[in-house]
Amino acid sequence: MITTKEVKVKVPDEFTSEYIEKELKKTGLDVLRWAVTDFDDEYYTLNLAVVIE
């Protein structure tokens, strides 16, 4: 089944998609896609489509 989740990722010194991918791997989720939907001084809010079993 595919569902959505929101996660927060710390804002790095330099934003790259590789940084986001690395942080998402740490969650252990099977991520199909991600998008930045919000941010503040400390965190990016990401909306994820994930596969769950």
Side-chain angles (χ1 to χ4, degrees):
M1 181 161 96
I2 298 172
T3 190
T4 60
K5 290 189 177 279
E6 279 196 353
V7 299
K8 291 190 179 231
V9 175
K10 271 199 156 303
V11 172
D13 292 333
E14 181 180 341
F15 177 82
T16 63
S17 60
E18 290 82 10
Y19 170 78
I20 298 296
E21 295 286 338
K22 184 177 112 182
E23 291 299 304
L24 291 176
K25 282 189 183 210
K26 292 179 185 177
T27 68
L29 297 171
D30 185 5
V31 178
L32 294 175
R33 65 127 188 104
W34 59 268
V36 177
T37 56
D38 195 17
F39 64 93
D40 59 26
D41 291 338
E42 294 185 44
Y43 293 97
Y44 288 113
T45 302
L46 306 176
N47 182 279
L48 314 174
V50 296
V51 177
I52 58 172
E53 294 180 27

